[in-house]
């Protein structure tokens, strides 16, 4: 998620099922309108502090994180009190009545979490975060990431990525590196929407040269 510090103009971010616990890198994304963070390791609603100054944020999907707790009403009211510009929370439309009730039942967040995580999304988790993360299998993570990536590629008019190509990670590769790779891939695909034909041709040529260099290296190592 640290890549978001370098993407101030990004409008849609999909980081569901990625073991994310820290939302601080998002506070510079002033054009962000949709944020999908389902099934991560966000332990505290105080992380919403970093989203409060994002003027265009309208859609947030935060469910199935430890911060949601056991009281769904309190959770929803707290989110809406701190992010009153939301139009949809967890795939459910926000009503005017809810926004009014949130002023009574929601908790105002005025400071970031006291306990900060390490950089790059590979932090030490709290006990609740660790327990939550163990419920996600590697297969589920891969399937979700593949689905999200192919959805973006479809919007860009690109062919879907075959599963055998998407899952060809080295057995020695850590979960953290795999998640970072998926995050970078999604960010690149989203940014490609901003390019014209000339820009896409440059990307195509650059990728072609990169692939040739990698294949040449692989042949040399064999």
């Amino acid at each position: 998620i640290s890549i978001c510090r370098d993407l101030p103009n990004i409008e849609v971010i999909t980081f569901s099922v990625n073991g994310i616990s820290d939302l601080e890198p998002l506070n510079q994304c002033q054009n962000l309108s949709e944020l999908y963070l389902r099934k991560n390791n966000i332990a505290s609603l105080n992380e919403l502090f970093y989203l409060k100054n994002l003027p265009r944020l309208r859609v947030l999907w935060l469910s199935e994180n430890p911060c949601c707790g056991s009281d769904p009403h309190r959770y929803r009211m707290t989110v809406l009190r701190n992010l009153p510009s939301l139009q949809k929370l967890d795939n459910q439309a926000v009503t005017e009545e809810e926004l009014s009730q949130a002023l009574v039942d929601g908790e105002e967040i005025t400071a970031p979490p006291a306990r900060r995580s390490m950089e790059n999304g590979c932090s030490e988790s709290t006990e609740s975060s660790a327990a939550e993360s163990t419920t996600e299998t590697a297969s589920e993570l891969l399937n979700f990431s593949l689905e999200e990536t192919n959805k973006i590629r479809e919007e860009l008019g690109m062919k879907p990525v075959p599963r055998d190509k998407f899952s060809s990670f080295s057995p020695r590769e850590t979960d953290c590196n795999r998640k970072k790779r998926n995050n970078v891939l999604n960010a690149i695909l989203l940014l490609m929407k901003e390019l014209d034909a000339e820009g896409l041709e440059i990307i195509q040529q650059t990728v072609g040269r990169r692939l040739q260099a990698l294949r040449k290296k692989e042949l040399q190592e064999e």
Side-chain angles (χ1 to χ4, degrees), residues 13 17-18 37 54 74 79 90 140 145 174 200-201 208:
I13 294 178
V17 197
N18 264 290
L37 294 167
L54 303 182
R74 176 185 174 278
V79 174
D90 297 338
E140 183 177 355
S145 298
T174 64
L200 289 172
E201 287 177 359

Side-chain angles (χ1 to χ4, degrees), residues 5-22:
R5 294 191 181 98
D6 300 320
L7 302 173
N9 295 319
I10 195 166
E11 297 180 9
V12 179
I13 294 178
T14 300
F15 278 155
S16 298
V17 197
N18 264 290
I20 291 169
S21 59
D22 180 3

Side-chain angles (χ1 to χ4, degrees), residues 31-92:
N31 288 331
L32 187 63
S33 62
E34 298 181 27
L35 178 60
Y36 301 93
L37 294 167
R38 185 181 68 91
K39 286 191 177 183
N40 277 288
N41 292 335
I42 301 169
S44 170
L45 284 177
N46 280 26
E47 293 289 343
L48 295 175
F49 178 81
Y50 299 115
L51 307 181
K52 293 182 69 172
N53 294 321
L54 303 182
R56 300 185 179 182
L57 186 61
R58 297 293 181 267
V59 177
L60 175 64
W61 199 329
L62 193 61
S63 64
E64 299 175 85
N65 275 277
C67 65
C68 299
S70 57
D71 186 342
H73 177 74
R74 176 185 174 278
Y75 152 71
R76 189 170 177 88
M77 292 296 99
T78 296
V79 174
L80 294 181
R81 177 166 182 174
N82 291 277
L83 303 175
S85 295
L86 287 181
Q87 297 176 355
K88 185 177 288 189
L89 173 61
D90 297 338
N91 208 31
Q92 181 179 342

Side-chain angles (χ1 to χ4, degrees), residues 206-218:
T206 303
V207 170
R209 288 194 295 268
R210 175 65 173 161
L211 284 172
Q212 288 179 356
L214 288 174
R215 288 167 181 163
K216 183 178 180 179
K217 182 178 179 182
E218 290 176 356

